[in-house]
Amino acid sequence: MTGQILLYGGRIVTAVGVERQDMLIENEHILAVGARLSGDAPQATRINVEGLTLFPGLIDVHVHLREPGGEYKEDIFTGTSAALAGGITTVLAMPNTNPPVTHRDTLTDVLAKAATRAVCDYGFYIGGTLDNAEEAARLSDAIGLKLYVGSSTGTLLVDQLFAQIAHLTRYPKDRIIAVHAEDEAAVQYYATRGRRRPPICAALAVSHVLTLAEQLERRLHICHVSTGYELALIRAARARGLDVTCEVSPHHLFLSTEDEQRLGALGQVNPPLRAREEVDALWAQSDAIDMIATDHAPHTLDEKTGALPPSGMPGLETMLPLMLDAAHTGRLSLSDIARRTSTRPAEVFGLADKGQIAPGYHADLTLVDLDEAWTIENEGLHTRCGWTPFAGRTVCGRVKQVYLRGKRVFADGDILAQPGDGHPVAQS
Ligand code: NCD
Ligand code: ZN
Ligand code: ZN
Ligand code: ZN
């Protein structure tokens, strides 16, 4: 028994295009990709994937799994199940849990929970606080550092310059600091005047953290960019030589303030949904966007329809279908999708063996039917929160099967993985 699997007849998405190719998998890794490989592997288990298009398993660098403390909205099992159902094979989880993941003990705790509960591969961020810069810098088993320079869901907030400088100077230069960039003073100023986080909040914070990163000579990752102005700031900093990367979330590409009347508090998110012109600006400047990340932020429908709705919306199960639909209508190419949801995230976070369909890489594969039109619905979602802001939208393109390191973990709506099948990612 060789442990070989031959996927034949499919179309494989690469950095440059889409090609009809076979793929030979041995145990956890891709052994070969090429035309008509069956002669090379007589003992392999043959699986016909004709009619399906194969993406490198998606890597979502911005996910809230809610464990510990928010298991009634989501936990590591339900969140990673939702990831697989959305074609996502690796999630990087945010630290704004309860308690937040800010020290050795809380990080060890979530890593131990994930080891027995996760069904996709994973990494966990350490959360910056006003006084943990030294400890955070030592925790090399965190995937990166998350800094909230403006407040959002949870208690994490590093709005003081002394602590921002401490983190930016102490955190290892080659590792990622991801920033929630909304200016806290501006958020408060506008809140007292009845305005929720207008674009100036993000503009001020992005400009501030870019200046810090440039002056302190360290790389930076900007989370959920929502305006063209932020992208312009990022472009200009790059032109001056700063190593800065950014992500945009699907809700900022596929929803706008025009959806707010319909969605009510379901559409409340930080940063907020933006005006149509701003959404168009993101699409127009999409070459400056390194990656698409869900910012999957589940809250229960009770919470969202209650008196003080929390900000955030789920996204794991809808990101790829929405992007496939956009590809269907010609707004982006399949290679663009692979690059922004897998290849680039793996590069930026240094995820070993991930991000491409090529020999030597993990056999993390997302198999989609590009031609299946279907209507997104709340029923059947794997996220525990049980709703999506995209319910009722008909899209073309559906996730059919998912492989994680050579094992089929999702097929036709069902999670086949066992809790603990997900592994911590290795960083190079
Ligand atoms: C996120 C959450 O609920 O954890 N909410 C949100 O509105 N995006 C926090 C965050 O990413 O800022
Ligand atoms: Zn955020
Ligand atoms: Zn988030
Ligand atoms: Zn490996």
Side-chain angles (χ1 to χ4, degrees):
M1 184 60 210
T2 60
Q4 290 189 347
I5 299 173
L6 179 76
L7 300 183
Y8 68 94
R11 300 185 341 132
I12 291 182
V13 182
T14 67
V16 290
V18 183
E19 280 179 278
R20 199 187 151 116
Q21 305 244 269
D22 295 344
M23 181 188 320
L24 190 59
I25 298 169
E26 186 170 59
N27 301 318
E28 297 201 323
H29 290 87
I30 298 169
L31 194 61
V33 179
R36 288 187 297 280
L37 290 178
S38 54
D40 306 356
Q43 300 99 321
T45 305
R46 297 166 52 86
I47 299 177
N48 185 349
V49 293
E50 239 167 279
L52 298 179
T53 300
L54 284 67
F55 284 85
L58 274 65
I59 298 167
D60 186 353
V61 308
H62 191 147
V63 175
H64 300 272
L65 293 176
R66 304 302 189 206
E67 188 170 348
E71 290 88 346
Y72 65 97
K73 318 185 200 236
E74 195 80 289
D75 65 25
I76 289 170
F77 176 74
T78 59
T80 54
S81 295
L84 291 182
I88 294 158
T89 50
T90 301
V91 296
L92 305 187
M94 287 297 171
N96 61 333
T97 46
N98 183 18
V101 178
T102 49
H103 293 89
R104 178 71 275 163
D105 55 344
T106 40
L107 179 62
T108 300
D109 182 53
V110 286
L111 285 168
K113 285 197 167 86
T116 60
R117 300 269 295 147
V119 292
C120 74
D121 286 358
Y122 56 85
F124 285 87
Y125 290 89
I126 193 80
T129 69
L130 292 180
D131 59 11
N132 76 343
E134 245 175 87
E135 180 167 354
R138 283 198 305 268
L139 300 177
S140 56
D141 50 344
I143 196 74
L145 171 71
K146 176 67 180 288
L147 287 183
Y148 290 84
V149 304
S151 57
S152 190
T153 304
T155 54
L156 292 173
L157 179 60
V158 184
D159 59 346
Q160 303 291 306
L161 185 63
F162 78 90
Q164 294 167 356
I165 292 176
H167 281 291
L168 266 69
T169 51
R170 283 176 194 209
Y171 203 67
K173 292 271 188 236
D174 55 332
R175 315 203 51 229
I176 293 292
I177 299 182
V179 183
H180 177 112
E182 288 185 292
D183 184 87
E184 183 61 12
V187 168
Q188 300 303 336
Y189 175 90
Y190 287 102
T192 60
R193 285 157 180 81
R195 288 183 67 192
R196 260 200 103 251
R197 301 169 180 251
I200 188 175
C201 299
L204 284 168
V206 168
S207 133
H208 175 76
V209 297
L210 288 175
T211 301
L212 283 176
E214 214 171 325
Q215 294 297 320
L216 301 173
E217 295 181 28
R218 73 146 301 129
R219 66 193 289 208
L220 210 58
H221 177 76
I222 312 286
C223 296
H224 44 48
V225 165
S226 60
T227 61
Y229 188 81
E230 289 165 84
L231 284 179
L233 290 173
I234 288 166
R235 257 183 218 285
R238 275 184 191 142
R240 291 190 302 269
L242 182 67
D243 183 2
V244 54
T245 54
C246 69
E247 69 189 39
V248 171
S249 304
H251 46 267
H252 291 126
L253 291 171
F254 295 100
L255 295 172
S256 74
T257 48
E258 292 164 19
D259 297 288
E260 278 179 334
Q261 291 80 31
R262 176 174 61 83
L263 290 170
L266 298 187
Q268 184 185 311
V269 61
N270 303 333
L273 298 180
R274 301 301 192 191
R276 170 60 45 199
E277 306 80 74
E278 215 58 84
V279 176
D280 292 342
L282 293 180
W283 280 100
Q285 295 193 63
S286 60
D287 60 316
I289 301 171
D290 292 278
M291 55 191 98
I292 311 295
T294 60
D295 189 14
H296 176 79
H299 298 288
T300 65
L301 271 178
D302 274 354
E303 290 173 315
K304 289 295 270 183
T305 56
L308 276 177
S311 299
M313 52 180 76
L316 287 168
E317 289 163 271
T318 46
M319 172 169 73
L320 182 56
L322 290 165
M323 294 184 77
L324 293 174
D325 189 62
H328 188 74
T329 55
R331 300 186 87 178
L332 77 181
S333 73
L334 299 179
S335 296
D336 290 336
I337 296 178
R339 172 143 200 84
R340 293 204 172 80
T341 61
S342 185
T343 312
R344 190 75 182 125
E347 266 168 27
V348 168
F349 283 82
L351 305 182
D353 297 354
K354 296 203 183 288
Q356 285 187 54
I357 295 181
Y361 283 79
H362 281 162
D364 294 346
L365 307 165
T366 298
L367 283 61
V368 307
D369 181 346
L370 292 177
D371 299 318
E372 182 171 338
W374 61 291
T375 302
I376 297 172
E377 279 164 8
N378 292 342
E379 292 71 34
L381 290 172
H382 292 77
T383 175
R384 180 164 286 148
C385 76
W387 63 276
T388 162
F390 299 102
R393 191 182 289 222
T394 296
V395 292
C396 194
R398 188 164 203 175
V399 178
K400 304 303 283 184
Q401 298 181 33
V402 177
Y403 283 75
L404 177 66
R405 284 175 283 98
K407 186 176 169 188
R408 196 152 71 135
V409 288
F410 175 85
D412 300 317
D414 294 323
I415 303 295
L416 309 176
Q418 297 302 312
D421 281 350
H423 288 175
V425 291
Q427 264 176 315
S428 55

Coordinates of all heavy atoms in Angstrom, one line a residue, residues 152-184:
S152 N -12.6 47.2 19.3 CA -13.6 46.5 18.6 C -14.2 45.5 19.5 O -14.3 45.8 20.7 CB -12.9 45.8 17.3 OG -13.9 45.4 16.5
T153 N -14.8 44.4 19.0 CA -15.3 43.4 19.9 C -14.3 42.9 20.9 O -13.1 42.6 20.5 CB -15.9 42.2 19.1 OG1 -16.8 42.7 18.1 CG2 -16.6 41.2 20.0
G154 N -14.6 42.8 22.2 CA -13.6 42.3 23.1 C -13.0 43.4 23.9 O -13.3 44.6 23.7
T155 N -12.0 43.1 24.7 CA -11.3 44.1 25.6 C -10.0 44.5 25.1 O -9.4 45.4 25.7 CB -11.2 43.5 27.0 OG1 -10.4 42.2 26.8 CG2 -12.5 43.2 27.6
L156 N -9.4 44.0 24.0 CA -8.1 44.3 23.6 C -8.0 45.7 23.0 O -8.8 46.1 22.2 CB -7.6 43.3 22.6 CG -7.3 41.9 23.2 CD1 -7.0 40.9 22.0 CD2 -6.2 41.9 24.2
L157 N -7.1 46.5 23.5 CA -6.9 47.9 23.0 C -5.5 48.3 23.3 O -5.1 48.3 24.5 CB -8.0 48.8 23.6 CG -7.9 50.3 23.2 CD1 -8.1 50.4 21.7 CD2 -8.9 51.1 23.9
V158 N -4.8 48.8 22.3 CA -3.5 49.3 22.5 C -3.5 50.7 21.8 O -3.0 50.9 20.7 CB -2.4 48.4 21.9 CG1 -1.0 49.0 22.2 CG2 -2.4 47.0 22.5
D159 N -4.2 51.6 22.5 CA -4.3 53.0 21.9 C -3.3 54.0 22.4 O -3.3 55.1 22.1 CB -5.7 53.5 22.1 CG -6.1 53.6 23.6 OD1 -5.3 53.0 24.4 OD2 -7.1 54.3 23.9
Q160 N -2.3 53.5 23.2 CA -1.3 54.3 23.8 C 0.0 54.2 23.0 O 0.5 53.1 22.8 CB -1.1 53.9 25.3 CG -2.3 54.0 26.2 CD -2.8 55.4 26.4 OE1 -2.0 56.2 26.8 NE2 -4.0 55.7 26.0
L161 N 0.6 55.4 22.7 CA 1.8 55.4 21.9 C 2.9 54.6 22.5 O 3.6 53.8 21.8 CB 2.2 56.8 21.6 CG 3.4 57.0 20.6 CD1 3.0 56.4 19.2 CD2 3.8 58.4 20.5
F162 N 3.1 54.7 23.8 CA 4.2 54.0 24.5 C 4.2 52.5 24.2 O 5.2 51.8 23.9 CB 4.3 54.3 26.0 CG 3.4 53.6 26.8 CD1 3.7 52.3 27.4 CD2 2.1 54.1 27.1 CE1 2.8 51.6 28.1 CE2 1.2 53.4 27.9 CZ 1.5 52.1 28.4
A163 N 2.9 52.0 24.3 CA 2.8 50.5 24.1 C 2.9 50.1 22.6 O 3.4 49.1 22.3 CB 1.4 50.1 24.7
Q164 N 2.4 51.0 21.7 CA 2.5 50.7 20.3 C 4.0 50.6 19.9 O 4.4 49.7 19.2 CB 1.8 51.8 19.5 CG 0.3 51.8 19.7 CD -0.4 53.1 19.2 OE1 0.3 54.0 18.7 NE2 -1.7 53.1 19.2
I165 N 4.7 51.6 20.4 CA 6.2 51.6 20.1 C 6.9 50.4 20.7 O 7.7 49.7 20.1 CB 6.8 52.9 20.6 CG1 6.3 54.1 19.8 CG2 8.4 52.8 20.5 CD1 6.8 55.4 20.2
A166 N 6.5 50.0 22.0 CA 7.1 48.9 22.6 C 6.8 47.6 21.8 O 7.8 46.8 21.5 CB 6.5 48.7 24.0
H167 N 5.6 47.4 21.3 CA 5.3 46.2 20.5 C 6.1 46.3 19.1 O 6.6 45.3 18.7 CB 3.8 46.1 20.2 CG 3.1 45.5 21.4 ND1 3.2 44.2 21.8 CD2 2.2 46.1 22.3 CE1 2.4 44.0 22.9 NE2 1.8 45.1 23.2
L168 N 6.1 47.4 18.5 CA 6.7 47.5 17.2 C 8.2 47.3 17.2 O 8.8 46.9 16.3 CB 6.3 48.8 16.4 CG 5.1 48.6 15.5 CD1 3.8 48.4 16.3 CD2 5.0 49.8 14.6
T169 N 8.8 47.7 18.3 CA 10.3 47.6 18.4 C 10.7 46.2 19.0 O 11.7 45.7 18.6 CB 10.9 48.7 19.3 OG1 10.2 48.7 20.6 CG2 10.8 50.0 18.7
R170 N 9.8 45.6 19.8 CA 10.2 44.3 20.4 C 9.8 43.1 19.6 O 10.5 42.1 19.7 CB 9.6 44.2 21.8 CG 10.4 45.1 22.8 CD 9.8 45.1 24.2 NE 10.4 46.2 24.9 CZ 10.6 46.2 26.2 NH1 10.2 45.2 26.9 NH2 11.1 47.2 26.7
Y171 N 8.7 43.2 18.9 CA 8.3 42.0 18.3 C 9.3 41.6 17.2 O 9.7 42.5 16.4 CB 6.9 42.2 17.7 CG 6.2 40.9 17.5 CD1 5.8 40.1 18.6 CD2 5.9 40.4 16.2 CE1 5.2 38.8 18.4 CE2 5.3 39.1 16.0 CZ 4.9 38.4 17.1 OH 4.3 37.2 17.0
P172 N 9.6 40.4 17.0 CA 10.7 40.0 16.0 C 10.4 40.5 14.6 O 9.3 40.4 14.2 CB 10.6 38.4 16.1 CG 10.1 38.1 17.4 CD 9.2 39.2 17.8
K173 N 11.4 41.1 14.0 CA 11.2 41.9 12.8 C 10.7 41.0 11.6 O 10.1 41.6 10.7 CB 12.6 42.5 12.4 CG 13.1 43.5 13.3 CD 12.6 44.9 12.9 CE 13.3 46.0 13.7 NZ 12.4 46.9 14.4
D174 N 11.0 39.7 11.7 CA 10.6 38.9 10.5 C 9.2 38.4 10.7 O 8.7 37.7 9.8 CB 11.6 37.8 10.4 CG 11.8 36.9 11.7 OD1 11.6 37.5 12.8 OD2 12.1 35.7 11.6
R175 N 8.6 38.7 11.8 CA 7.2 38.1 12.0 C 6.2 39.1 11.8 O 6.5 40.3 11.7 CB 7.2 37.5 13.4 CG 8.5 36.6 13.7 CD 8.4 35.6 14.7 NE 7.2 34.7 14.5 CZ 6.3 34.4 15.4 NH1 6.5 34.9 16.6 NH2 5.3 33.6 15.1
I176 N 4.9 38.7 11.8 CA 3.8 39.6 11.4 C 3.2 40.3 12.6 O 2.8 39.6 13.5 CB 2.8 38.8 10.6 CG1 3.3 38.3 9.2 CG2 1.5 39.6 10.4 CD1 3.6 39.4 8.3
I177 N 3.0 41.6 12.5 CA 2.1 42.3 13.4 C 0.9 42.7 12.5 O 1.0 43.4 11.5 CB 2.8 43.6 14.0 CG1 4.0 43.2 14.8 CG2 1.8 44.3 14.8 CD1 4.7 44.4 15.5
A178 N -0.3 42.2 12.9 CA -1.5 42.5 12.2 C -2.2 43.6 13.0 O -2.4 43.5 14.2 CB -2.4 41.3 12.0
V179 N -2.7 44.6 12.3 CA -3.3 45.8 13.0 C -4.8 46.0 12.7 O -5.1 46.0 11.5 CB -2.5 47.1 12.7 CG1 -3.1 48.2 13.5 CG2 -1.0 46.9 13.0
H180 N -5.6 46.1 13.7 CA -6.9 46.7 13.5 C -6.8 48.2 13.6 O -6.5 48.7 14.7 CB -7.9 46.2 14.6 CG -9.3 46.8 14.5 ND1 -10.4 46.1 14.2 CD2 -9.7 48.1 14.6 CE1 -11.4 46.9 14.1 NE2 -11.1 48.1 14.4
A181 N -6.9 48.8 12.4 CA -6.5 50.2 12.3 C -7.7 51.1 12.2 O -8.2 51.5 11.1 CB -5.6 50.4 11.1
E182 N -8.3 51.4 13.3 CA -9.3 52.5 13.4 C -8.8 53.4 14.6 O -8.5 52.8 15.7 CB -10.7 52.0 13.7 CG -11.3 51.3 12.4 CD -12.8 50.9 12.7 OE1 -13.0 50.0 13.5 OE2 -13.7 51.5 12.0
D183 N -8.8 54.7 14.5 CA -8.3 55.5 15.5 C -9.3 55.7 16.7 O -10.4 56.1 16.5 CB -8.0 56.9 14.9 CG -7.4 57.9 15.9 OD1 -6.2 57.8 16.1 OD2 -8.1 58.6 16.6
E184 N -8.9 55.3 17.9 CA -9.8 55.2 19.0 C -10.4 56.6 19.3 O -11.6 56.7 19.6 CB -9.1 54.6 20.2 CG -10.0 54.4 21.4 CD -11.1 53.4 21.2 OE1 -11.2 52.7 20.2 OE2 -12.0 53.4 22.0

